[in-house]
Amino acid sequence: MSDQKSLDSLFQLAHALKRKMIENIEELELGIAPMNVRVLKIIRVKKNTTAIDIAHLLSRDKAQVTRLLNALIAQGLIKKEPNPEDKRSQRLTLTKSGDAILEQISGIDTKVFEQLSHGVSEEEWDMFTRIADKMTRNLTSK
């Protein structure tokens, strides 16, 4: 397979997945952007998350993440709490509304994954996951 064809295939996959997720989120009419959903998921999974943690995980600068977090706070989806491990930072936690949105969206994740993996064997999926993880490490290691 040529380099260009491989890159085109990866780009098409990434674009199709992103588009499908956006379509499904918009259908729920939650008034939330996919990037905000990603941040809510990070906060749910990673306990004691701070703005700096999110900036690193998303490869965004702190100012961008601060604007995003302020929007989520204004929507009542997250809140800041004192960080007992570092008095200079604040932990981010989900509110009940933020948790409720993620519950609604969890069905989308399942639906899109089922569509994405249709006709793909477990062995193929395991191999794809290993290769995708390796490629990600190649692009993110310095």
Side-chain angles (χ1 to χ4, degrees):
M1 186 178 281
S2 74
D3 293 350
Q4 189 58 49
K5 185 169 181 180
S6 296
L7 288 173
D8 287 346
S9 293
L10 288 169
F11 179 78
Q12 288 173 359
L13 173 61
H15 183 72
L17 177 60
K18 183 177 179 181
R19 186 74 239 141
K20 187 56 71 174
M21 292 300 290
I22 289 169
E23 286 172 9
N24 280 274
I25 290 169
E26 287 174 351
E27 282 178 14
L28 291 178
E29 298 180 359
L30 299 172
I32 187 167
M35 180 58 78
N36 292 10
V37 170
R38 204 162 161 208
V39 170
L40 293 176
K41 287 179 180 181
I42 290 169
I43 293 169
R44 175 186 262 179
V45 172
K46 190 174 182 331
K47 302 300 178 207
N48 300 321
T49 306
T50 66
I52 295 291
D53 295 332
I54 291 173
H56 289 199
L57 287 167
L58 297 177
S59 298
R60 306 268 190 216
D61 66 53
K62 190 171 183 292
Q64 287 176 308
V65 170
T66 298
R67 285 190 297 275
L68 196 133
L69 294 174
N70 286 338
L72 291 172
I73 290 168
Q75 288 178 287
L77 302 177
I78 65 170
K79 61 185 175 183
K80 292 181 181 180
E81 299 175 341
N83 185 353
E85 296 170 15
D86 181 356
K87 301 295 182 202
R88 299 168 295 164
S89 68
Q90 295 181 311
R91 290 190 313 195
L92 302 166
T93 57
L94 295 177
T95 63
K96 288 181 182 179
S97 297
D99 230 7
I101 281 186
L102 286 181
E103 285 305 312
Q104 288 179 283
I105 289 171
S106 70
I108 291 173
D109 290 349
T110 302
K111 177 181 167 184
V112 171
F113 180 78
E114 286 174 0
Q115 188 175 3
L116 174 72
S117 60
H118 179 76
V120 178
S121 71
E122 190 172 330
E123 182 180 290
E124 290 170 321
W125 191 255
D126 289 343
M127 183 182 294
F128 169 78
T129 302
R130 284 192 310 275
I131 292 169
D133 289 346
K134 188 177 206 176
M135 290 175 170
T136 301
R137 283 191 306 276
N138 289 345
L139 290 175
T140 56
S141 63
K142 296 181 180 183

